[in-house]
């Protein structure tokens, strides 16, 4: 079964890295994967997108994702300025970094799950260039919300990308996000 | 598919797949200058050098022109050489591309295809390599990261074959392949090392009457790329053309030998057909778009529509006989071009495919679709639209617009 994922973030938040880590996580489970960025004129703070595909069979498609099964949103204000639900399948899931509960977001008709990833980053003092890191923890939340990848695989992908304490801190953030996810369904 | 050799599966992007293949191919000299979207290739490779994983001499040059010049010079001394570039970098190499092929130096180069300026655009299209199609280089276009890896390894064997001795480009769509992480099965190091082997040289007669290997060697002095005026130049060029003809055979042979070891094949190595045998309508394209087209062919076939795809893996040399053979029976063909030939009649691939089919008694309708310039995405729906157009051509029995543009604001 082919699953398509679109990740929304702001330039500097690591949407591309999140897509790659997700692919690496699914790859450790023996699945076929694809992860690719959509680079605009990269600048900090501007809305950016990245895509991932996970499948049991080889993935032939090399187009962008138009009808995602899952949407991941790294920035909690982003859904107000862009339509994060664009093309999302009817039974699709939105995993959003937000301090709000799913039913407070006004995204009616979708399965929404939220986690305060920014709060987790501040709590763990997980920052890069002073900014809270949310792209790793959100993958823990994604694992819990969708069951497409195991938390263990996500942690393995994170530790594979950053050795030592940075890896451990990011892995801990993903574990906390996994635990603290609020499902709106 | 049968796997003759046990392989590891990695998750690599297209650029990393190139670097990994080069690492395993026992390369003597890499000279390069960074440019998006190729940069990761030489970045990764420089890490292999720094970590002592390879014994390659790595030369950082001040420009792409110098990078290729360094590779050319090293190649003429008998070294196995590699470089990578894209877009403006490849354009800056233009002069040296001809010198390299003219000197019969089997340099292998990866190109992460990117649009040419202006306006500035870092994204993928095939304008850069199509603009170099007459430079005397072999051009192989890969569909996915796996094929990128396989093609780089094959390219050394093809380019260095004593009957070929031509430089070769392996082209991967910028971002769509260069920056896309995919599953890549990699062969064990020793298997690749054995496959690429030690570079072989043709034996030539020196002015002293000695038979020596064709390479620059102080013990057996010879001149490479000397002056050739009207009395000899033409023969040099005719020989390059002959080498391209031989390359058609060698590309197939190397591909088949590699397929036995890896369990992976791409058509006959030149042309990769998908449901063409009984196809009434077909798309012809190069590179990663073929994957998207295949998914659409699957859908159309499920609906009972006889759709097919021809992916041209090799654009130089052009497999003319193969094109005639696999497309001759098709009723309507859409050729997709990811570059412009300004002022011409359609794009470069269209020129070649339509031209190749001209000699057939019964010719298909052949139309052209320019798409994806500057990295514009092409969706499965748009591909479906092209097949719909082909059905319409068959229904009407005529072509109204021979050259169209996909997903363009007009």
């Amino acid at each position: 079964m082919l699953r398509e994922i679109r990740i929304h973030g702001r330039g500097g938040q690591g949407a591309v890295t999140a897509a790659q880590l997700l692919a690496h996580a699914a790859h450790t489970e023996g699945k076929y994967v694809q992860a690719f960025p959509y680079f605009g004129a990269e600048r900090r703070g501007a809305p950016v997108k990245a895509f991932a595909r996970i499948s049991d069979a080889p993935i032939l498609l090399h187009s962008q994702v138009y009808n995602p099964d899952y949407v991941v949103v790294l920035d909690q204000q982003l859904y107000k300025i862009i339509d994060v639900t664009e093309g999302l399948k009817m039974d699709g899931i939105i995993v959003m970094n937000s301090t709000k509960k799913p039913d407070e977001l006004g995204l009616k008709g979708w399965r929404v799950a939220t986690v305060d990833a920014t709060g987790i980053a501040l709590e763990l003092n997980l920052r890069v260039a002073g900014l809270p890191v949310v792209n790793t923890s959100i993958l823990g939340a994604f694992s819990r919300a969708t069951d497409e990848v195991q938390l263990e695989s996500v942690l393995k992908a994170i530790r594979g990308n950053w050795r030592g304490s940075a890896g451990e801190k990011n892995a801990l953030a993903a574990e906390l996000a996994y635990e603290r996810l609020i499902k709106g369904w | 598919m049968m796997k003759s050799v046990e392989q590891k599966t990695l998750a690599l992007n297209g650029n990393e797949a190139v670097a990994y293949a080069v690492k395993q191919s026992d390369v003597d000299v890499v000279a390069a200058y960074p440019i998006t979207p190729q940069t990761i290739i030489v970045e990764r490779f420089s890490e292999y050098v720094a970590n002592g994983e390879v014994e390659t001499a790595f030369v950082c040059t001040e420009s792409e022109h110098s990078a290729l010049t360094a590779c050319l010079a090293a190649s003429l001394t008998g070294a196995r050489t590699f470089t990578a570039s894209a877009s403006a970098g490849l354009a800056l190499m233009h002069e040296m591309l001809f010198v390299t092929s003219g000197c019969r130096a089997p340099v292998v180069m990866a190109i992460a295809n990117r649009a040419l300026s202006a306006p500035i655009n870092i994204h993928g299209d095939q304008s850069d390599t199509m603009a170099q199609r007459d430079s005397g280089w072999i051009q192989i276009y890969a569909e996915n990261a796996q094929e990128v890896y396989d093609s780089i390894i094959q390219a050394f064997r093809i380019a260095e074959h004593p009957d070929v001795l031509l430089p070769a480009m392996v082209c991967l769509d910028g971002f769509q392949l260069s920056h896309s992480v995919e599953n890549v099965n990699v062969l064990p190091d020793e298997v690749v090392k054995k496959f690429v082997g030690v570079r072989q040289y043709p034996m030539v007669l020196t002015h002293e009457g000695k038979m020596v290997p064709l390479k620059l060697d102080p013990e057996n002095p010879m001149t490479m790329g000397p002056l050739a005026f009207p009395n000899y130049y033409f023969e040099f060029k005719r020989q390059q053309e002959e080498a391209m003809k031989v390359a058609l055979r060698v590309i197939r042979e190397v591909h088949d030998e590699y397929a036995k070891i890896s369990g992976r094949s791409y058509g006959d190595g030149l042309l990769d057909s998908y449901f063409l045998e009984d196809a009434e309508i077909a798309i012809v394209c190069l590179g990663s778009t073929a994957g998207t087209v295949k998914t659409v062919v699957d859908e159309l076939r499920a609906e009972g529509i006889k759709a097919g795809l021809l992916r041209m893996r090799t654009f130089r040399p052009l497999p003319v006989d193969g094109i005639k053979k696999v497309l001759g029976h098709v009723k309507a063909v859409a050729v997709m071009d990811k570059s412009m030939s300004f002022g011409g009649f359609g794009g470069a691939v269209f020129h070649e495919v339509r031209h190749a089919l001209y000699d057939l008694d019964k010719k298909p309708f052949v139309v052209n679709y320019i798409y994806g310039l500057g990295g514009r995405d092409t969706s499965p729906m748009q591909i479906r639209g092209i097949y719909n157009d082909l059905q319409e051509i068959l229904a009407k029995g005529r072509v109204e617009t021979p050259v169209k543009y996909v997903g363009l604001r007009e």
Side-chain angles (χ1 to χ4, degrees):
Chain A
M1 190 67 169
L2 174 67
R3 296 293 189 194
E4 297 186 294
I5 300 119
R6 185 174 66 218
I7 302 178
H8 293 278
R10 290 183 184 273
Q13 276 188 316
V16 175
T17 305
Q20 287 173 353
L21 286 173
L22 184 56
H24 281 280
H27 173 257
T28 65
E29 295 177 9
K31 289 181 182 152
Y32 289 91
V33 297
Q34 206 180 63
F36 53 104
Y38 177 75
F39 283 119
E42 299 104 319
R43 55 207 190 278
R44 279 194 177 268
V48 297
K49 280 188 287 194
F51 304 98
R53 290 189 171 100
I54 301 172
S55 180
D56 300 323
I59 299 165
L60 297 173
L61 276 173
H62 277 104
S63 66
Q64 290 179 9
V65 169
Y66 290 91
N67 297 109
D69 297 274
Y70 307 113
V71 167
V72 175
V73 188
L74 297 176
D75 181 278
Q76 65 170 330
Q77 301 299 328
L78 214 49
Y79 79 104
K80 295 176 185 168
I81 55 168
I82 56 165
D83 180 11
V84 297
T85 67
E86 189 187 359
L88 180 61
K89 288 193 181 134
M90 292 304 287
D91 55 350
I93 293 176
I94 303 167
V95 181
M96 195 180 296
N97 170 23
S98 178
T99 50
K100 294 183 177 163
K101 293 199 175 68
D103 58 1
E104 293 170 353
L105 292 169
L107 292 163
K108 299 242 182 309
W110 309 102
R111 288 193 284 170
V112 181
T114 58
V115 67
D116 181 12
T118 307
I120 292 171
L122 295 175
E123 192 178 314
L124 298 177
N125 196 24
L126 180 59
R127 294 167 190 262
V128 169
L131 296 171
V133 175
V134 296
N135 64 335
T136 44
S137 56
I138 203 83
L139 297 179
F142 178 85
S143 162
R144 172 97 179 276
T146 67
D147 280 328
E148 290 297 340
V149 284
Q150 300 296 308
L151 177 63
E152 277 311 311
S153 311
V154 168
L155 301 181
K156 206 167 156 186
I158 290 172
R159 290 184 178 119
N161 206 49
W162 298 278
R163 312 259 172 233
S165 64
E168 289 312 313
K169 210 186 237 190
N170 279 286
L172 178 58
E175 281 184 279
L176 289 176
Y178 182 91
E179 285 164 18
R180 295 181 191 174
L181 180 86
I182 305 166
K183 283 190 193 181
W185 67 92
Chain B
M1 229 182 279
M2 191 189 73
K3 270 188 191 173
S4 308
V5 176
E6 198 64 35
Q7 295 172 61
K8 238 185 341 189
T9 305
L10 305 175
L12 302 175
N13 66 36
N15 281 343
E16 291 168 336
V18 171
Y20 201 95
V22 175
K23 178 178 83 161
Q24 294 181 309
S25 296
D26 199 17
V27 176
D28 300 304
V29 176
V30 171
Y33 187 85
I35 182 169
T36 303
Q38 165 278 123
T39 308
I40 302 168
I41 298 173
V42 282
E43 260 179 23
R44 285 289 177 280
F45 195 79
S46 66
E47 285 170 21
Y48 296 141
V49 174
N51 294 343
E53 292 176 72
V54 289
E55 290 171 10
T56 311
F58 186 82
V59 189
C60 295
T61 55
E62 77 280 19
S63 77
E64 287 89 350
H65 189 282
S66 302
L68 185 53
T69 305
C71 285
L72 162 65
S75 183
L76 293 180
T77 68
R80 178 170 291 154
T81 57
F82 172 83
T83 187
S85 196
S87 183
L90 182 62
L92 186 57
M93 287 178 176
H94 182 70
E95 178 194 7
M96 297 312 295
L97 291 175
F98 287 78
V99 181
T100 306
S101 61
C103 284
R104 309 294 295 272
V107 176
V108 171
M109 172 155 59
I111 302 292
N113 285 109
R114 165 182 157 180
L116 286 161
S117 300
I120 292 176
N121 179 300
I122 59 164
H123 289 270
D125 73 31
Q126 292 161 353
S127 308
D128 52 1
T129 47
M130 281 300 155
Q132 307 299 350
R133 66 187 184 273
D134 295 336
S135 64
W137 285 58
I138 290 167
Q139 290 192 344
I140 294 172
Y141 290 81
E143 181 184 323
N144 49 44
Q146 178 69 65
E147 191 182 349
V148 167
Y149 168 83
D150 296 333
S151 301
I152 289 284
I153 295 167
Q154 292 171 22
F156 288 108
R157 279 282 302 275
I158 296 162
E160 293 171 7
H161 193 291
D163 298 338
V164 175
L165 279 186
L166 290 174
M169 289 177 199
V170 175
C171 308
L172 53 149
D173 288 317
F175 290 97
Q176 278 147 334
L177 293 184
S178 68
H179 285 61
S180 188
V181 176
E182 297 186 318
N183 299 51
V184 178
N185 290 317
V186 297
L187 293 162
D189 292 351
E190 64 278 11
V191 171
V192 177
K193 194 172 177 183
K194 190 171 163 218
F195 182 82
V196 294
V198 177
R199 186 175 154 187
Q200 303 294 307
Y201 312 98
M203 299 301 283
V204 291
L205 191 66
T206 66
H207 64 284
E208 291 168 323
K210 277 200 289 182
M211 286 302 283
V212 298
L214 179 66
K215 59 176 177 172
L216 291 177
D217 176 1
E219 298 298 314
N220 297 297
M222 65 177 83
T223 306
M224 300 270 189
L227 204 64
F229 274 172
N231 54 349
Y232 278 115
Y233 180 87
F234 206 168
E235 281 72 23
F236 276 93
K237 297 301 118 179
R238 177 66 182 87
Q239 286 182 338
Q240 279 175 250
E241 179 59 13
E242 195 54 30
M244 278 284 181
K245 297 275 179 291
V246 175
L248 282 172
R249 170 176 60 80
V250 172
I251 292 167
R252 281 203 312 271
E253 286 170 2
V254 171
H255 165 270
D256 292 351
E257 188 185 329
Y258 186 87
K260 283 193 193 111
I261 297 167
S262 67
R264 289 184 293 277
S265 59
Y266 305 100
D268 65 355
L270 301 168
L271 298 173
D272 190 8
S273 302
Y274 194 69
F275 286 100
L276 268 187
E277 298 77 15
D278 65 340
E280 291 179 347
I281 51 175
I283 281 178
V284 178
C285 71
L286 275 56
S288 64
T289 308
T292 310
V293 177
K294 283 175 185 173
T295 64
V296 177
V297 169
D298 289 348
E299 289 169 16
L300 292 172
R301 285 275 164 176
E303 294 166 22
I305 297 165
K306 289 186 173 170
L309 161 74
L310 172 62
R311 180 175 70 90
M312 293 174 64
R313 180 171 185 254
T314 311
F315 187 69
R316 285 292 182 268
L318 188 78
V320 179
D321 293 339
I323 293 170
K324 283 191 207 171
K325 200 171 139 204
V326 296
L327 288 181
H329 67 282
V330 178
K331 291 177 182 165
V333 175
V335 182
M336 294 180 71
D337 267 286
K338 221 176 181 177
S339 68
M340 288 271 211
S341 177
F342 298 106
F345 179 30
V349 188
F350 177 62
H351 299 162
E352 299 287 16
V353 172
R354 207 167 194 266
H355 179 40
L357 298 174
Y358 183 81
D359 290 333
L360 297 177
D361 293 331
K362 201 163 155 277
K363 293 183 263 287
F365 291 110
V366 188
V367 291
N368 192 205
Y369 288 81
I370 309 283
Y371 78 107
L373 296 196
R376 181 158 300 177
D377 198 49
T378 302
S379 69
M381 280 307 290
Q382 287 169 330
I383 303 286
R384 198 172 246 272
I386 294 173
Y387 281 115
N388 287 347
D389 286 357
L390 291 178
Q391 285 181 300
E392 205 171 292
I393 286 168
L394 290 185
K396 287 185 180 166
R398 65 174 189 278
V399 172
E400 276 164 6
T401 316
V403 182
K404 288 186 173 181
Y405 303 91
V406 181
L408 180 77
R409 284 186 215 98
E410 280 195 287

